[in-house]
Amino acid sequence: MIDIDYRSRTDAGVRPVEFAAFHDQVLGPRLHGNNGRLAARGIARLGLPPLAIEVDGRAVTYVARNGSVEIVAGRTSDAVVAAMDAALFSDLVLDLRTTTSALLSGAVRLPPADAQSFLQWDLILRSMIDGRAIHEPGAIDFRDRAGRPLDLHRVFAAGDDREDMLQFVGQAGFLIIHGLFTADEMAEVSADLDRIAPSYQPGDGRSWWARTRSAGNRIVRLKDVQDRSAVVARLLRDPRYLGIADLWPERYPRALRTASPIDACIKPVDTVEGVSDMNWHKDCSLGRHSYDCCNFGVGFSVTDSSDDHGQLCVVAGSHRTQIPMTRTGAMAAELPGDLDLPVIPLPTQAGDVTVHLSCVMHRALPPRHTERRVMYSGYILEEDHRLPFTGDSYAALQDRTKPPTPTT
């Protein structure tokens, strides 16, 4: 059984990382071991140039040499040079932000032609600092509790064996629970969404809007709907929903709690401007993987979803590895062409529930013929179950990695 608690840092342990001390006291020693080998292997696989980080006029370059990565003072002539302030460097080291976040916010300075390499270097940084490998074909397979190949298209019923569900989530990163609620209950929810929609306005900070070809400006995401709909509020207290927390292993007693209120998504068929459906991403794509993963995202299918109606798709097993993505726009990315992990669509009927881990790669397809409605809530691990930090930030970084959990 795969351990899906990847957390190794806490917010209580966050302290600024000083540029020179980090390289001398932490990163240098870590690169002498497995981290350096993993990072060099990733650099070769992705064909990346060296990366120079420049902070307040000081620079170092990370260079793959002799099967590892070396820290070279200054900037080498062939390096991608990323200039940033000390706060961003600290955030990158501590996994509070990613290179994607830095680029989208404009916090890093580098030539536009080097942006793609800088994005890919995020995976290498995590290999160097945290010892996380970059995915290679054949590295992941999928097995059920008996060791047989896992049926990745399996749909569970609410009464199915919880250990089978947990095994499936750990291996694949998602599952579907069919008929957890009834179609009539979801029809009541849909009607109440129509009732409360006029209480949201563009720019209110509680909603997302998009422009459609047929109806102009439309609301596409309603936040905190449980505060405006008694029908939806009941779902958060419903034993059927609360029972999803029981999927967590017994060695994390009461480790899950309701993570968030419910957001409702209304997905029109003819969006021409604005964000209605998210392209490929992990929920930790902008940072905080080692603080928050893996949380459970729970999707309530208010209406049916399919190829025609729009549906959630996931890359099975992607939570178990780092996948290099090619960014094609500010909010768009493509999977690598040699990725051997299967893309699994999750068609649902009204009343079905989907569960996906926060660091599984997923996307929502736009509906082609009929508007789709879905609501999202979820569960997170309680903070007191996280690995505590000890000592100052440098000692914490050296000691932060949990020993691997034996698989059974």
Side-chain angles (χ1 to χ4, degrees), residues 140 162 241 256 258 307 397:
I140 289 178
R162 291 279 165 162
Y241 169 67
L256 291 171
T258 301
D307 283 341
L397 277 166

Side-chain angles (χ1 to χ4, degrees), residues 303-372:
T303 61
D304 296 349
S305 70
S306 67
D307 283 341
D308 285 339
H309 302 87
Q311 61 191 350
L312 187 67
C313 295
V314 299
V315 178
S318 53
H319 62 299
R320 296 158 59 182
T321 189
Q322 295 199 100
I323 297 178
M325 303 291 289
T326 301
R327 185 160 295 282
T328 57
M331 299 297 292
E334 293 180 354
L335 299 172
D338 64 348
L339 184 64
D340 64 338
L341 299 180
V343 174
I344 307 296
L346 305 186
T348 58
Q349 299 175 11
D352 293 351
V353 165
T354 62
V355 176
H356 70 273
L357 298 182
S358 52
C359 57
V360 76
M361 192 71 69
H362 57 285
R363 68 170 295 184
L365 295 175
R368 293 185 293 185
H369 299 302
T370 306
E371 176 180 286
R372 178 190 174 209

Side-chain angles (χ1 to χ4, degrees), residues 29 65 108 131 140 326 372 394 405-406:
R65 288 178 182 165
V108 63
I140 289 178
T326 301
R372 178 190 174 209
Y394 307 121
T405 301

Side-chain angles (χ1 to χ4, degrees), residues 18-86:
E18 200 279 323
F19 188 78
F22 168 72
H23 287 99
D24 292 341
Q25 300 175 24
V26 180
L27 189 58
R30 293 181 78 86
L31 292 177
H32 291 313
N34 189 54
N35 290 21
R37 291 189 292 272
L38 285 176
R41 191 177 182 94
I43 291 169
R45 173 162 172 73
L46 300 180
L48 292 176
L51 174 67
I53 299 288
E54 184 176 284
V55 175
D56 297 332
R58 297 174 297 174
V60 297
T61 302
Y62 308 133
V63 181
R65 288 178 182 165
N66 303 317
S68 186
V69 174
E70 296 181 8
I71 304 170
V72 178
R75 304 185 299 181
T76 63
S77 60
D78 57 344
V80 168
V81 180
M84 62 190 68
D85 62 22

